Amino acid sequence: MAHDDEIDCSGMNCPLPVLKTKMKIDGMAAGSTLKVITTDPGSCQDIPAWANRVGHEVVETGEGDGKFWFMVKRGE
Amino acid sequence: MAERKKMALIAAQGSLDWAYPPFILASTGAAMDMEVKVFFTFYGLPLLKPKIKAKVTPAANPAMPMKMPFGPKGFQNIDWPMPHAITGVVPGFDSMATRLMKKTFKKKGVATITELREMCVMLGVELIACQMTMDVFGFEKEDFIDGVTFGGAAAFLDFAADADIQMFM
């Protein structure tokens, strides 16, 4: 899926993937999509919970090769 | 977007293990657009000093897993039985346990307390030093990092009264 930017949080543990993702997406335009890559299984709950709370949308998720990824569309 | 939530935390413990929960929740709460204030009191106060020297104390935490962060997997999985007579008496035991725990945290990709605190400051978390505890333990405002604010019980409760989440740690 096409995305505007990407952040690799591989190896990071709670709460770093959420914090790094928040800081990254803050600098992006509304409506753009950030691909977030993680290895922390907890991020599968945390990234969507965070996104839902702050008004972003996780439009696609996936996993493979020990990694998880999330397409986060920035809200207004 | 939902109305901005508020979170009020009290950090009263200064050991390495107890330093994590307030900084993790405060930084994450701020990342979730919450207005967050953390009130540092008693032994939590030294967590506001530029250099954080927090340690773990196995003697005071008998359920703490004692595992080695190196060697083969089978070796790492051993939970070493550690009698109180050793954890409480052997000089330097806390320092050793602290080194091992920090090494494990690093290996597992866990941020340091200092990193999490920097995130808190960056994300606008208000870190409040308890004025009374400062007086009791002899801390000056200059002893703490920049940006720390100062207050007492009423100031904290005034914020906590309208907060959606309140926790004491």
Side-chain angles (χ1 to χ4, degrees), chain B residues 11 49 75 78 81 104 106-107 115 124 126 138-139 162:
Chain B
K49 293 169 82 171
F75 178 78
I78 299 171
T104 305
K106 193 173 178 187
K107 213 172 116 187
E115 284 168 338
E126 186 173 340
F139 287 114
D162 293 324

Side-chain angles (χ1 to χ4, degrees), chain B:
Chain B
M1 197 185 299
E3 189 189 332
R4 199 170 187 216
K5 300 280 183 183
K6 293 181 182 181
M7 177 160 67
L9 305 179
I10 296 181
Q13 302 290 332
S15 57
L16 182 67
D17 41 357
W18 277 100
Y20 270 98
F23 285 119
I24 287 174
L25 291 175
S27 56
T28 306
M32 294 173 91
D33 281 344
M34 296 178 194
E35 183 184 356
V36 184
K37 297 191 183 193
V38 191
F39 189 74
F40 291 84
T41 187
F42 280 79
Y43 318 121
L45 212 45
L47 297 175
L48 295 176
K49 293 169 82 171
K51 189 158 174 55
I52 296 174
K53 294 177 180 168
K55 287 183 179 179
V56 288
T57 53
N61 296 282
M64 185 186 295
M66 296 297 282
K67 296 183 175 183
M68 296 299 162
F70 47 76
K73 196 155 178 55
F75 178 78
Q76 288 196 34
N77 282 340
I78 299 171
D79 193 356
W80 297 85
M82 213 49 85
H84 194 266
I86 293 176
T87 59
V89 175
V90 174
F93 195 88
D94 286 354
S95 297
M96 184 202 70
T98 300
R99 275 200 304 278
L100 292 174
M101 188 169 276
K102 281 184 174 174
K103 194 169 175 178
T104 305
F105 280 155
K106 193 173 178 187
K107 213 172 116 187
K108 301 285 184 184
V110 176
T112 64
I113 295 296
T114 308
E115 284 168 338
L116 288 172
R117 187 177 66 179
E118 281 169 7
M119 299 268 197
C120 285
V121 171
M122 226 185 299
L123 293 167
V125 172
E126 186 173 340
L127 308 173
I128 309 166
C130 168
Q131 187 69 61
M132 180 276 276
T133 318
M134 286 173 63
D135 292 345
V136 170
F137 293 137
F139 287 114
E140 303 293 336
K141 291 183 177 181
E142 302 76 57
D143 293 333
F144 301 128
I145 55 169
D146 290 342
V148 168
T149 61
F150 305 89
F156 173 79
L157 286 175
D158 185 44
F159 175 75
D162 293 324
D164 302 277
I165 303 168
Q166 304 101 349
M167 281 189 267
F168 179 94
M169 297 169 190

Side-chain angles (χ1 to χ4, degrees), chain A residues 53-66:
Chain A
R53 171 64 56 184
V54 298
H56 304 321
E57 191 189 350
V58 178
V59 290
E60 206 179 300
T61 62
E63 68 171 287
D65 296 331

Side-chain angles (χ1 to χ4, degrees), chain A residues 31-72:
Chain A
S32 54
T33 304
L34 174 66
K35 181 177 186 179
V36 183
I37 301 163
T38 68
T39 49
D40 167 30
S43 65
C44 296
Q45 284 78 43
D46 284 349
I47 296 287
W50 160 79
N52 179 53
R53 171 64 56 184
V54 298
H56 304 321
E57 191 189 350
V58 178
V59 290
E60 206 179 300
T61 62
E63 68 171 287
D65 296 331
K67 300 202 178 202
F68 309 98
W69 55 266
F70 312 82
M71 292 294 183
V72 186

